[in-house]
Amino acid sequence: MITLDNREKINKKKIRVGRGIGSGKGKTSGRGVKGQKSRSGVAIKSFEGGQMPLYRRLPKRGFNPIGKSEVAILNLEKIQSLIDKKSIKPNDLINADLLKKLKLINKNSKKLKILGSGEIKEKINIEANLASKSAVEKLEKIGGSIQLKK
């Protein structure tokens, strides 16, 4: 509520710069003398006088989750095609180490996840960190097994 006590803020006049010496903000209008900042239309937001700006000194981080764990995914149809090509034998234990050795998954991947897309005909043994429900069902239906590492 406005009362007569707090009128000063309302009635405060805006300082008109460049209106003569007597105003206290005459001649250079409080901008100092010469130079880029004294001119109009100047925006020097993150310029640091030639020094490498802060936004370029800091490492890039956006959209790259720091704690991301690299999970290699493999579908059952891919495993079947590898068996058909005789890259892997059906009686071998299929695990991350074997797949890394054959360069079928990235060597930097920490975990292996088996997904249930496609059909599998061979009875195989898989050792993985994660597996989808459909993959487990399909493997058990044909008599294969999957061990999940904790």
Side-chain angles (χ1 to χ4, degrees):
M1 189 172 112
I2 300 170
T3 60
L4 292 175
D5 305 348
N6 58 6
R7 283 182 32 219
E8 308 89 48
K9 290 180 186 169
I10 299 161
N11 293 345
K12 201 145 197 181
K13 283 207 167 90
K14 188 174 162 237
I15 294 174
R16 298 176 70 214
V17 295
R19 293 296 186 280
I21 292 169
S23 71
K25 282 271 191 275
K27 192 177 171 241
T28 52
S29 309
R31 285 173 174 264
V33 186
K34 293 186 181 174
Q36 191 179 8
K37 285 182 178 168
S38 72
R39 321 261 188 244
S40 68
V42 173
I44 321 172
K45 286 195 177 69
S46 62
F47 183 67
E48 298 182 21
Q51 172 176 301
M52 188 60 67
L54 183 68
Y55 68 90
R56 286 183 62 196
R57 289 199 299 265
L58 299 176
K60 290 194 277 189
R61 263 198 56 200
F63 299 102
N64 288 323
I66 290 174
K68 182 170 80 170
S69 62
E70 298 289 332
V71 178
I73 57 170
L74 204 61
N75 276 305
L76 289 178
E77 63 187 352
K78 179 75 173 167
I79 296 170
Q80 184 62 51
S81 72
L82 292 167
I83 291 168
D84 294 341
K85 287 182 199 165
K86 296 186 170 50
S87 300
I88 50 179
K89 297 179 188 77
N91 52 8
D92 282 350
L93 175 67
I94 298 166
N95 58 13
D97 297 332
L98 175 77
L99 295 167
K100 282 179 190 176
K101 201 180 289 177
L102 296 169
K103 294 186 177 164
L104 298 169
I105 61 172
N106 192 334
K107 65 176 185 238
N108 298 328
S109 51
K110 308 273 188 290
K111 295 180 178 179
L112 174 64
K113 182 168 185 173
I114 305 296
L115 301 179
S117 168
E119 286 303 314
I120 185 118
K121 302 174 193 88
E122 307 290 332
K123 191 169 149 180
I124 53 172
N125 295 324
I126 299 177
E127 186 181 47
N129 303 83
L130 307 157
S132 67
K133 287 178 189 172
S134 61
V136 174
E137 284 170 18
K138 285 178 184 178
L139 281 166
E140 286 172 352
K141 194 162 81 175
I142 58 154
S145 70
I146 183 159
Q147 291 94 37
L148 296 179
K149 288 192 272 187
K150 289 288 177 268

